[in-house]
């Protein structure tokens, strides 16, 4: 994903004097990194884990480090959080011993916390600083048993807060209240909805049912199809699409791509993930493919067929089936955004960067 402030300006709402978001079309974006730093520090620092149980006192101390990015996008009242963070949390333990008070310190590392795995428990690495003696091992085991569940619970609170808008939550709630209050303030009565005769079927209903029965698209899913022309050999553009270094070059984002059937890939800084199902060099790519913002378990199938009708001219036919009409946050622009992404962020950029025609 693009870092905050580096997105295409055409899709970012600028501040206006009247505060209006024309047609609610563009994204409103709010940087949440400093808010996240303060929020996670408040949730995690100074957290008591054990208070003398078994003669051991154990607690977290400070949020030593927080790196990454965090923001929320707001469109048509829908909140779409975006974050990729890593953090280091310090902890300490002490216990009475014959020679006095034994102390040990350690860290909790969370290497990757992102909106794409918001429903999963984060990976935590518990380490001890300094000498790894018997007391240090005892303290570490106690933190794994008692501290780790507490830290995960606090992380879930942060994830839930981001899903509700993060620092923009109060602003979103106030706009919702003002929107609801507007009709009452104007004194306009809302006309009741006309009654509908549920027994009367529309004329075109049988055709609609027949289309569903034929199984062209499952309910709630759509198919994307497009044909693109490039001035190059088919093996050249195939190699670009399957090479992570070239992908990084034309998208200006991180990518991990396997060139093997059954291998996994991650595109646009992890926003898109999937698995290669069928590969024929210069001829065919079939992949299971999904956005991290889609509901859990939802995967589309991407099929790219390469045809070279004449030397130096390649036609790509794209068909992507089972694209959900809505993401997990209720946004209903998934299909149009996916189609635009293929055209503008992939195919057009390949033409521009590699000189394969416009």
């Amino acid at each position: 994903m693009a870092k905050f402030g580096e997105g295409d300006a055409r899709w970012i709402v600028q501040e206006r004097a009247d505060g209006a978001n024309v047609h609610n079309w563009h994204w409103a974006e709010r940087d949440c990194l400093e808010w996240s730093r303060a929020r996670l520090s408040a949730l995690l620092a100074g957290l008591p884990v054990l208070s003398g149980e078994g003669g051991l006192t154990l607690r977290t101390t400070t949020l030593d480090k927080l790196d990454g990015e965090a923001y929320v996008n707001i469109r048509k009242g829908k909140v779409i959080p975006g974050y990729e963070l890593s953090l280091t949390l310090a902890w300490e333990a002490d216990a009475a011993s014959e020679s006095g008070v034994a102390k040990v310190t350690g860290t909790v590392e969370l290497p990757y916390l992102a909106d794409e795995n918001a429903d999963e428990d984060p990976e935590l690495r518990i380490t001890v600083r300094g000498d790894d003696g018997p007391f240090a091992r005892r303290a570490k085991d106690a933190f794994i048993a008692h501290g780790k569940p507490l830290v995960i619970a606090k992380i879930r609170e942060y994830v839930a807060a981001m899903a509700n808008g993060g620092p923009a939550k109060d602003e979103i709630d106030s706009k919702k209240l003002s929107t609801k209050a507007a009709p009452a303030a104007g004194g306009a009565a809302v006309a009741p909805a006309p009654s509908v005769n549920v027994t009367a079927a529309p004329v075109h209903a049988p055709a609609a049912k027949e289309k569903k029965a034929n199984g062209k698209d499952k309910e709630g899913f759509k198919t994307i199809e497009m044909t693109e022309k490039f001035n190059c050999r088919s093996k050249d553009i195939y190699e670009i699409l399957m090479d992570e270094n070239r992908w990084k070059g034309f998208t200006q984002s991180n990518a991990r791509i396997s060139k093997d059937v059954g291998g996994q890939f991650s595109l646009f800084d992890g926003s898109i993930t999937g698995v290669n199902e069928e590969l024929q060099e210069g001829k065919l790519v079939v992949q299971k493919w999904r956005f991290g913002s889609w509901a859990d378990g939802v995967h589309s199938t991407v099929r790219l067929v390469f045809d070279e009708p004449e030397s130096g001219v390649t036609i790509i036919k794209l068909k992507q089936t089972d694209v959900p009409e809505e993401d997990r946050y209720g946004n209903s622009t998934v299909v149009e955004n996916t189609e635009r992404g293929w055209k503008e962020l992939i195919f057009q950029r390949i033409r521009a960067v590699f000189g394969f025609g416009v």
Side-chain angles (χ1 to χ4, degrees), residues 313-334:
V313 176
T314 296
I315 304 296
I316 294 181
K317 292 185 178 180
L318 165 78
K319 185 174 184 179
Q320 184 170 359
T321 57
D322 295 331
V323 179
E325 293 181 329
E326 290 190 355
D327 62 15
R328 70 169 76 221
Y329 308 107
N331 297 295
S332 58
T333 57
V334 174

Side-chain angles (χ1 to χ4, degrees), residues 276-290:
N276 297 325
E277 292 199 320
E278 188 176 352
L279 300 173
Q280 297 179 29
E281 185 175 359
K283 295 181 179 180
L284 179 68
V285 173
V286 181
Q287 299 172 324
K288 283 295 183 185
W289 194 97
R290 63 171 271 118

Side-chain angles (χ1 to χ4, degrees), residues 33-96:
L33 183 58
E34 292 309 313
W35 177 88
S36 296
R37 194 185 310 279
R39 179 77 171 183
L40 286 167
S41 181
L43 287 169
L44 297 172
L47 188 65
V49 178
L50 292 176
S51 301
E53 293 87 340
L56 185 65
T57 299
L58 186 62
R59 58 192 165 270
T60 64
T61 54
T62 59
L63 182 66
D64 285 351
K65 184 177 72 171
L66 179 71
D67 293 325
E69 59 179 342
Y71 57 83
V72 290
N73 285 323
I74 305 168
R75 182 166 183 253
K76 295 185 178 181
K78 301 294 184 180
V79 175
I80 303 178
Y83 49 92
E84 289 185 1
L85 300 170
S86 63
L87 63 85
T88 302
L89 176 68
W91 59 269
E92 64 181 17
D94 56 68

Side-chain angles (χ1 to χ4, degrees), residues 13 16 18-26:
V13 173
R16 287 172 43 131
D18 58 3
N21 181 356
V22 180
H23 304 306
N24 284 321
W25 179 250
H26 301 293

Side-chain angles (χ1 to χ4, degrees), residues 16 19 49 62 67 81 88 96 100 141 145-146 155 158 166 171 178 182 185 194 207 221 233 257-258 295 298 314:
R16 287 172 43 131
V49 178
T62 59
D67 293 325
T88 302
D141 291 341
H146 302 284
I155 294 295
Y158 167 80
E171 176 185 338
S178 62
F221 295 84
R233 302 297 302 271
I257 300 176
S258 168
V298 174
T314 296

Side-chain angles (χ1 to χ4, degrees), residues 220-238:
F221 295 84
K222 294 293 184 183
T223 295
I224 294 172
E225 294 185 79
M226 67 181 71
T227 301
E228 298 288 329
K229 180 180 177 180
F230 300 85
N231 296 329
C232 65
R233 302 297 302 271
S234 61
K235 64 179 183 179
D236 293 333
I237 192 166
Y238 174 92

